[in-house]
Amino acid sequence: MATKKPANPALPPETPRTSDGGDSVVLERRAQKIKPPQMYQVAMLNDDYTPMEFVVMVIQEFFGKDREAATQIMLKIHLDGKGVCGVYSRDVAATKVDQVLEAARQGGHPLQCVSEPIE
Ligand code: TYC
């Protein structure tokens, strides 16, 4: 029985191929199409009521900063109106926002937190 060898069975049908005349196949170089994922900065906003100590505690707890770094970020927010606490993928950033807003709600503070795409 004559068996017909399938042409390049390991390659999906849409794979571009260029035969060089022999059995070998040369794959054409393609431009890289995948982009790195969009990243999001999680920023907190200043207000006149949330205690500084509470903001420092939240930044330490949810953004993994030590007390010194958390205090610097809190002071930046206090002075500039806004400050970045961390940069994450979309889902992680959304979770951080939820955690901060829930802690603020539980503490009875109006602290606001937002996630924003960067670059
Ligand atoms: N402005 C607040 C105060 O003086 C402190 C504060 C800092 C509040 C950062 C919110 O995101 C904030 N008590």
Side-chain angles (χ1 to χ4, degrees):
M1 185 176 83
T3 48
K4 206 168 149 218
K5 201 172 130 220
N8 300 311
L11 298 171
E14 68 278 8
T15 304
R17 59 193 74 186
T18 305
S19 172
D20 65 356
D23 267 357
S24 59
V25 163
V26 178
L27 295 181
E28 290 167 4
R29 190 179 289 278
R30 278 196 195 169
Q32 179 65 272
K33 273 198 212 143
I34 44 172
K35 291 181 287 173
Q38 172 73 61
M39 298 299 278
Y40 292 73
Q41 64 180 29
V42 177
M44 276 203 266
L45 310 180
N46 189 37
D47 66 69
D48 292 338
Y49 306 102
T50 305
M52 290 182 173
E53 185 53 40
F54 181 82
V55 177
V56 171
M57 185 272 291
V58 162
I59 294 172
Q60 283 188 259
E61 180 161 340
F62 298 121
F63 298 94
K65 307 293 185 188
D66 62 25
R67 187 163 179 81
E68 183 60 36
T71 301
Q72 291 305 315
I73 294 170
M74 181 280 294
L75 286 173
K76 181 185 170 25
I77 302 167
H78 178 71
L79 296 172
D80 297 352
K82 183 177 176 178
V84 175
C85 299
V87 174
Y88 307 96
S89 62
R90 187 179 60 177
D91 288 359
V92 174
T95 299
K96 300 282 178 194
V97 170
D98 289 348
Q99 288 172 327
V100 170
L101 294 180
E102 177 57 17
R105 191 194 65 74
Q106 279 184 25
H109 304 302
L111 181 61
Q112 288 301 300
C113 183
V114 295
S115 166
E116 307 171 321
I118 55 173
E119 268 124 52

